[in-house]
Amino acid sequence: MMTIKVKFFASLREEVERSEVDLKPQGEMTVAQVWALACQDMPLPEHILSAVNLEYVSADTAVKDGDEVAFFPPVTGG
Amino acid sequence: MMTIKVKFFASLREEVERSEVDLKPQGEMTVAQVWALACQDMPLPEHILSAVNLEYVSADTAVKDGDEVAFFPPVTGG
Amino acid sequence: MKVVVTPDEFNAWTELQAYETTLTAQRGQWGAVSTFIGTMRNFNEGDAVNAMFLEHYPGMTEKYLQALSQTALQRWEILDTLVIHRVGHIQPSDTIVLVAAWASHRASAFEACRFLIEELKTKAPFWKKEILIEGERWVEKNTPATV
Amino acid sequence: MKVVVTPDEFNAWTELQAYETTLTAQRGQWGAVSTFIGTMRNFNEGDAVNAMFLEHYPGMTEKYLQALSQTALQRWEILDTLVIHRVGHIQPSDTIVLVAAWASHRASAFEACRFLIEELKTKAPFWKKEILIEGERWVEKNTPATV
């Protein structure tokens, strides 16, 4: 069994009504599958960005045990 | 009789060995003629810039009584 | 090279002066410094903005800005960079972001500085929430680079 | 808008901070400040430079820089500008020139700032003489905008 930490930021955090959740999936997963598991099969919105271990990744990236997966809306800093 | 103040700057000032000269020409003159009168008919070097009353002008600009005419090399500030 | 993400108010000019005095080894080598400072305006898209909350992704934000500064240092002939970004609760006219590049010549300084702010604005994980007279709203996108 | 031509050493960051505090009416309106600072390097064209003498045309230089600032204020959506240029005897690492533009958005700030320094370098009546170990030489041309 793996442990995956999932984080949500900004407007997405408010939408999914949580900032962080720990998942314990049985087998290998992609970022998209992590989203589906964390968000009860709500579709992953197209504009949402994802990161694994603090680096941008695409939704088909494989996730390993202990990874931190983050989802967030387009950035607006500066 | 007119009075024209002529100024030279930087390397040109060193070349003509003076920074300022007052001319008292008899009649109307262009900037090029002011140069010729001030510099004993030495040809006006092509790269030399000229100004009348603190504004850039071309060598064929007419000069009036009381004007300040300046000649200087390409600028290198900043 | 220095990157700071801070919840504390900062004065851009004081930070620039303080950082520059630490560049003792490069003194006399740089001839050009280009800086950009972003401050909070009291209006946006036609509405008065009373305050702002700036969220970030602790860890990823700093890592992204470090990598961005390294990229700038590799891509242009520049000697050093400074990036400071504010997070948390922000008041109008507060400084939000400061980027700076020191170089021998001006073209590299300007280009690296512009690169830093454009990349930061489009890719660094920060999110602005505006506090208006009537409620709050997340900023959905930044002003494009051309405006 | 302020233009200063001065024989006195100045600290760019202190001047920027001091000038910005006078912009009380525009506080909260600007969101972007772009600055460029030119300092004296201790080398040029492969030679060590010990000192520099910066000549100018008193009267015309100030007039040119005032007109240049006005042009920038008309051509871009900017709120204010600051230009300071040193003249006379200068030592390596001294600040020679400072230009700054305050604007609502960053593109105007960057473009106006770049315009100010490029026009200043190619048209404002200043001339640099470098004092080398073996004698002096007039600088014949500035580094082009693209380097």
Side-chain angles (χ1 to χ4, degrees), chain D residues 5 11-12 17 36 40 58 61 76 82 86 94 112 119 123 134-135 137 142-143:
Chain D
V5 175
N11 181 293
Q17 181 162 12
F36 176 81
M40 191 188 145
T61 306
W76 282 278
L82 174 62
R86 179 89 177 273
D94 280 5
E119 293 290 298
K123 294 182 192 153
E134 300 187 348
R137 70 177 174 205
N142 272 326
T143 305

Side-chain angles (χ1 to χ4, degrees), chain B residues 3-75:
Chain B
T3 302
I4 309 284
K5 187 188 288 290
V6 186
K7 293 185 170 184
F8 304 94
F9 291 94
S11 56
L12 182 66
R13 175 176 47 72
E14 293 182 353
E15 222 172 289
V16 303
E17 294 179 317
R18 68 201 122 158
S19 61
E20 204 173 309
V21 56
D22 285 330
L23 297 182
K24 308 230 172 247
Q26 296 298 331
E28 289 260 312
M29 301 197 97
T30 65
V31 166
Q33 289 168 326
V34 168
W35 168 273
L37 186 59
C39 297
Q40 291 84 40
D41 293 324
M42 175 180 148
L44 175 57
E46 215 174 283
H47 69 287
I48 291 300
L49 303 165
S50 39
V52 170
N53 299 335
L54 314 179
E55 300 267 9
Y56 281 106
V57 294
S58 60
D60 57 2
T61 301
V63 175
K64 303 181 308 296
D65 186 25
D67 280 356
E68 175 172 308
V69 182
F71 298 99
F72 46 79
V75 303

Side-chain angles (χ1 to χ4, degrees), chain D residues 84-128:
Chain D
I84 306 181
H85 202 293
R86 179 89 177 273
V87 292
H89 290 281
I90 295 177
Q91 300 298 317
S93 86
D94 280 5
T95 301
I96 296 172
V97 62
L98 150 62
V99 300
W102 283 261
S104 290
H105 298 294
R106 68 191 184 283
S108 306
F110 268 109
E111 286 164 22
C113 181
R114 189 81 201 255
F115 170 79
L116 286 170
I117 190 66
E118 296 305 331
E119 293 290 298
L120 182 156
K121 279 191 166 263
T122 51
K123 294 182 192 153
F126 291 106
W127 302 273
K128 285 178 185 149

Side-chain angles (χ1 to χ4, degrees), chain C residues 13 16 32-37 98-101 109-110 113, chain D residues 12-13 16 20 32-38 82 97-102 109-110 113-114 117:
Chain C
W13 315 117
L16 283 160
V33 192
S34 176
T35 78
F36 176 81
I37 291 148
L98 149 62
V99 299
F110 267 111
C113 182
Chain D
W13 315 116
L16 283 159
E20 196 176 83
V33 192
S34 176
T35 78
F36 176 81
I37 291 148
L82 174 62
V97 62
L98 150 62
V99 300
W102 283 261
F110 268 109
C113 181
R114 189 81 201 255
I117 190 66

Side-chain angles (χ1 to χ4, degrees), chain C residues 72-73 76 78 81 99 101 107-117:
Chain C
L73 285 159
W76 283 277
I78 56 176
T81 60
V99 299
S108 306
F110 267 111
E111 286 164 23
C113 182
R114 189 80 201 255
F115 169 79
L116 286 170
I117 190 65

